[in-house]
Amino acid sequence: MTTYVAKRTGQMILIIFLISIFTFLLVSMIPGDPVYAMLGSEISQEEYDRVFYELKLDQPVIQRYFSWLFGAMRGDWGQSTQFHMPTLDVLMERVPITLFFSLSAFVISIPLGILFGVISAVHRGKTADTVVTLIANITACLPQFWIALLVMYIFAMKLGWLPSYGFTWFSQDPVLAVKQTIMPLFCLALGGIATTTRQTRSSMLEVIRQDYVRTARSKGLSQKKVIYLHALKNALIPVITILGMRLGSMLAGSMFVESVFNIPGMGSLFVKAIQSRDIPVVQACVLVTALVSCIINLLTDILYAVVDPRVRFE
Amino acid sequence: MEHLLEIKNIETCFKTDGQLVKAVDKVSMYINPGEIVGIVGESGSGKSVTMMSSLQLISSPGKVTGGEVYIQGNENNMLEYGPESEEMRHMRGGKVSMIFQEPMTSLNPVLTIGYQIQENIMEHLHLGKEEAKKRTIEMLKMVNIPDAEQRFDYYPQQFSGGMRQRIMIAMAMSSEPTILVADEATTALDVTTQAQLLEMIRDIAKKTNTAVFIVTHNLGIVARFAERIYVMYSGSVVEMTDAGRLFANPEHPYTRALLRAIPRLDDPRDRILIPIDGLPPNPATRPEYCPFYERCEYRMDKCKGMKKPELFELEPGHFAACHLTEEEKALKAAEIAGKELKKAPRIEAGEELCLEVKNVRKYFPIYKGMMRKKVGEVKAIEDINFKVRKGETLGIVGESGCGKTTLARCIMRVYRPEEGEIFFGGTDIANFSDKQLYPYRKRIAMIFQDPFSSLDPRQTAESIVGESLLLHKLVKNREEYEKKVDELFRIVGLDPALKYRVPHEFSGGQRQRIGIARALSSNPDMIICDEPISALDVSIQAQIINLLEELQAKLGLAYLFIAHDLAVVKHISNRILVMYLGRVVEIAECEELYRNTLHPYTKTLLSAVPVADPVVEAQRERVPIRGEVPSLTNRPSGCPFHDRCPHALDRCKKEVPMLKDTGNGHEVACFLYDK
Ligand SMILES: Nc1ncnc2c1ncn2[C@@H]1O[C@H](COP(=O)(O)OP(=O)(O)OP(=O)(O)O)[C@@H](O)[C@H]1O
Ligand code: SF4
Ligand code: SF4
Ligand SMILES: [Mg+2]
């Protein structure tokens, strides 16, 4: 198990390293002169020179990369050209908001999805199954922005119960925070619940047919033990495999929902940084996203190995 | 309450395509304490459904639609309790334990085996966790799992198939049941493992006075182990009596036909198999009258006019379900015996060699890790030497994983052997390139085990059979092609009118005929048959065996016949080659091998094969085998069999014995015969 974790961690570090190279090369991949690309062509020579040295464009690529990498590791992500403050500070404001949304949506949707999936598989063909499957199928097909606009229209415009935009931390104003969080979180979690439900259901139905479930039943175990111990533990394996992807899509969804509800998270930051060619911020955003997804993947792999002993002695 | 368990008129239906199909039609059975009862029948005859229904283990779309089940200790019909009721769960697992066919999938892969047994003990014996664990380890020791304490925490996939089935036995017996149901418990395993396990079940059952139901399609197994036997056909019991009488004096026409259709290890050389014509009826269209009618040699017009026959007691303790009176049956039997039997055609193989294999070796590299580093080798086959003459059948037997298929693939040149020569018609093709091989490809054909997966489901039968005619340009024009395909269909006993059907529109036996027609199409000198009949029902096997023999006589083909069923191999082959762990251990002419077995492994192998005759079984010498087949990656040094051999000498651990001729072309690789 330890070697397995060590091996996976090693692989993760390698991947992050590769991504950092790619991220760094983003600068040189922008067509034309990076300085003009950033500031527009109508700048004075002094300005040009200043930014040129600031970006250390006089040094060879390798050297630039390593000084950027070591800087990044020390927390020096460069100066945001758009906000005129250190990139790290900009990120520190935005990243937690996005993480808050995606993680809470994740934490809400997975257990609920699994629960609904199991219920619907166990009552296959009965009313409970029909209702759950129908709702899950419909929500899984609806585009997220449509749901976002719909709930916004009903609860903010028509009923006026909830504010239609903005974000406040719970510690600052609990009532407003809750009100502002409900709609975006709902939109984010809904799709996750639907997909997890569908997946758990089909994987449960598959597992229930297996010989070892028949064995468990032939031992006279109670229905509860057969379902939740023998069947579910197996049925969760495919669900766990794509947990990483789930959280990844939560991250992407969060960036999207942020822009609908005008929440100052990483999503809106990323979009703005690209529009204004704020390269240090773009780099930081890519790297942070990559880092988060790698860590999630590592965690799912470990979880996977805990649930499925077959992985451990590969 | 007379019996330990009594099943009365149980009836189970399955809903398929909106239609109710009766899988089991009013079956009654009973068992007494400590009794071993066999249930035999072909696949689909309702053996498992009967057992599962009585335990209410049938899940949707199946439903038990009638009948009663009584178990000692409860006055009530167990079927009246719901499947999840306290009483039913107490019976299922507590009083009646089951072992299923598939050892590889019957244990939960994400729970340790210790947990799975412990859970059973805690559920039924109401012991605490620690005590249950202690009992679990005792049970594991009882079924000879070494290092039981450590292995408590192992997962099923860390055990071989045979060991998993022993764990299943331990689990089933752990709740101290009064009845054990072994549903094809050993079918997927090798003969030696099969014998080991069934003997273990019998010993444990006799020691604890547990009654056992042995459910199987193998008549040999019931002859060896069962005391009383039920014969099932198409959802009904057709005959029931004690083992001795069933084999000595079978009463039902189906039982009689079955015994004439299966080859036996102790058969004389010229034994003729008489196949049962036709197929078992589809349960959805089963007639109101006797379900065996269409295939029955004894049938009379009155059978069709009457309802399905009920079981009738012919003499005390002997029941059969047939409308004929004793006189009518005797008359018919005389008539059948008077029919001229088609002599199994045999041609004498000449001296001319068709195939000669010399020192062939094939290893597979084992790769590991991301960089695919080579970390070792699977020594699949080594030092293979044998000859096949024209028109001869060489049978190849050995346990699963011993390298039979690898050998076949080397000869087919799917694999290139690392070392050695393969002379085919006098030319060494071992190192030929694909282009050089081209003319030889059509001269060696192959028939595979699974007639279901080895045929392309979208191709019509005609294009499957005709493919290599076109590939090897064996026909000049369309007309000749059609004629040739029709002829091939007729040769294998299929109606050419069926040639535009796709494989799933044929039955298993018909599909195997298509496979044979395909093999014959390129006019080969030799056909390699890799388990050609093991996927077929016993009543169909004889048809294919007879067809292969007929074709050999007509076309002078040489066969390499690979199978794990020794009785079949002995029936069809001229000579037999025995393999163990990738090496040839013995080659001899069939009778010689059977009468004068030399190699210790062959002895255990032959004694493990049950013969469908309790009288013969009672007299046979048992050569027990210990341990498990080691893996090919750590093959024991010296003689591959030395760690399981009762006669192993010091020398056996160090040196590898080579094949030596002991006279009569009987070759053996064992130091006992070294002079
Ligand atoms: N392509 C391959 N790569 C690695 N190992 C292989 C390969 N093909 C076969 N083997 C190994 O070689 C050994 C011999 O296999 P083979 O299929 O010949 O056995 P067999 O006697 O035909 O078994 P069975 O009766 O189960 O069909 C096995 O241990 C198998 O795992
Ligand atoms: S009842 Fe008639 S058809 Fe059925 S087994 Fe007896 S003789 Fe054959
Ligand atoms: S060589 Fe030795 S170990 Fe091998 S079979 Fe013969 S006696 Fe047994
Ligand atoms: Mg094989």
Side-chain angles (χ1 to χ4, degrees), chain B residues 501-514:
Chain B
R501 293 196 182 173
V502 290
H504 77 258
E505 295 174 287
F506 291 98
S507 73
Q510 285 176 319
R511 268 183 264 218
Q512 201 52 289
R513 285 169 193 268
I514 296 174

Side-chain angles (χ1 to χ4, degrees), chain B residues 597-618:
Chain B
T597 318
L598 296 180
H599 199 279
Y601 172 67
T602 316
K603 283 184 186 161
T604 59
L605 193 63
L606 287 174
S607 102
V609 181
V611 172
D613 188 341
V615 183
V616 176
E617 269 303 321

Side-chain angles (χ1 to χ4, degrees), chain A residues 15-311:
Chain A
I15 290 169
I16 291 177
F17 181 68
L18 291 175
I19 291 177
S20 76
I21 294 178
F22 169 75
T23 316
F24 175 78
L25 289 179
L26 267 182
V27 189
S28 35
M29 267 157 37
I30 297 172
D33 187 304
V35 180
Y36 287 139
M38 233 151 103
L39 303 177
S41 50
E42 279 154 36
I43 46 166
S44 66
Q45 187 60 41
E46 291 86 70
E47 254 180 297
Y48 181 95
D49 289 344
R50 186 176 56 76
V51 176
F52 189 83
Y53 288 111
E54 221 177 77
L55 292 177
K56 305 201 178 78
L57 289 176
D58 53 335
Q59 295 167 3
V61 178
I62 304 281
Q63 199 175 336
R64 266 193 288 148
Y65 168 69
F66 279 106
S67 66
W68 173 77
L69 185 66
F70 290 130
M73 286 198 313
R74 269 183 283 114
D76 174 12
W77 298 69
Q79 192 80 5
S80 158
T81 52
Q82 157 192 207
F83 296 101
H84 303 290
M85 56 195 274
T87 304
L88 191 64
D89 295 352
V90 178
L91 283 185
M92 290 307 278
E93 254 172 46
R94 306 293 193 110
V95 173
I97 297 178
T98 300
L99 283 184
F100 166 74
F101 274 111
S102 34
L103 286 178
S104 9
F106 183 76
V107 168
I108 292 170
S109 66
I110 300 302
L112 279 182
I114 291 174
L115 185 70
F116 288 142
V118 171
I119 290 175
S120 128
V122 171
H123 300 279
R124 179 185 194 171
K126 309 246 171 70
T127 329
D129 177 34
T130 321
V131 172
V132 170
T133 323
L134 191 71
I135 297 179
N137 282 346
I138 293 174
T139 28
C141 313
L142 289 181
Q144 213 163 30
F145 77 87
W146 194 83
I147 298 177
L149 291 178
L150 185 74
V151 292
M152 193 193 263
Y153 177 75
I154 297 176
F155 294 100
M157 311 283 186
K158 278 282 156 194
L159 298 172
W161 291 352
L162 299 169
S164 64
Y165 66 89
F167 178 80
T168 317
W169 284 106
F170 192 74
S171 50
Q172 289 161 341
D173 181 345
V175 180
L176 183 63
V178 170
K179 278 185 168 177
Q180 283 178 332
T181 317
I182 290 177
M183 278 198 293
L185 198 55
F186 174 77
C187 296
L188 260 181
L190 200 59
I193 297 176
T195 346
T196 315
T197 303
R198 287 188 342 156
Q199 230 214 339
T200 311
R201 177 179 185 270
S202 69
S203 140
M204 232 7 223
L205 286 179
E206 177 68 35
V207 167
I208 285 177
R209 292 194 289 116
Q210 297 299 315
D211 292 345
Y212 51 79
V213 173
R214 183 182 60 185
T215 309
R217 296 208 321 133
S218 81
K219 290 200 291 192
L221 300 178
S222 65
Q223 176 88 345
K224 237 199 237 137
K225 272 196 191 149
V226 174
I227 298 290
Y228 289 98
L229 224 142
H230 284 264
L232 186 59
K233 211 171 169 204
N234 282 283
L236 281 185
I237 292 168
V239 179
I240 289 174
T241 348
I242 64 143
L243 278 189
M245 275 196 265
R246 268 286 78 69
L247 192 52
S249 72
M250 291 285 175
L251 269 177
S254 168
M255 298 201 183
F256 181 80
V257 169
E258 279 165 24
S259 66
V260 175
F261 291 96
N262 206 359
I263 295 164
M266 219 166 79
S268 44
L269 175 70
F270 198 26
V271 175
K272 257 189 244 160
I274 290 173
Q275 278 165 353
S276 55
R277 301 213 157 75
D278 189 349
I279 287 166
V281 174
V282 173
Q283 284 176 329
C285 282
V286 172
L287 212 53
V288 167
T289 319
L291 201 66
V292 172
S293 3
C294 278
I295 291 173
I296 293 160
N297 274 327
L298 178 69
L299 291 179
T300 25
D301 280 353
I302 292 173
L303 190 59
Y304 192 30
V306 171
V307 180
D308 188 355
R310 279 165 293 191
V311 178

Side-chain angles (χ1 to χ4, degrees), chain B residues 190 362-366 378-381 398-409 415 449 530-531 562-564 579 582 631-633:
Chain B
D190 283 316
K362 176 76 196 163
Y363 290 176
F364 293 103
I366 308 171
V378 178
K379 298 179 176 164
I381 51 173
E399 293 176 284
S400 113
C402 75
K404 304 180 299 280
T405 302
T406 307
L407 176 58
R409 294 198 172 147
Y415 298 144
Q449 167 168 14
D530 193 355
E531 300 276 4
I562 302 175
H564 67 272
M579 283 181 81
S631 107
L632 287 176
T633 32

Side-chain angles (χ1 to χ4, degrees), chain B residues 20-79:
Chain B
L20 269 189
V21 173
K22 233 180 243 172
V24 164
D25 190 7
K26 295 211 171 55
V27 169
S28 301
M29 283 178 185
Y30 66 85
I31 197 165
N32 293 322
E35 195 183 16
I36 299 183
V37 171
I39 303 176
V40 275
E42 296 173 65
S43 83
S45 60
K47 309 179 293 279
S48 302
V49 175
T50 304
M51 288 292 121
M52 309 245 288
S53 302
S54 64
L55 293 177
Q56 298 201 39
L57 269 174
I58 298 286
S59 48
S60 115
K63 198 170 171 0
V64 182
T65 48
E68 292 151 72
V69 173
Y70 295 97
I71 185 141
Q72 211 168 53
N74 195 328
E75 293 293 302
N76 299 316
N77 174 8
M78 292 306 292
L79 292 184

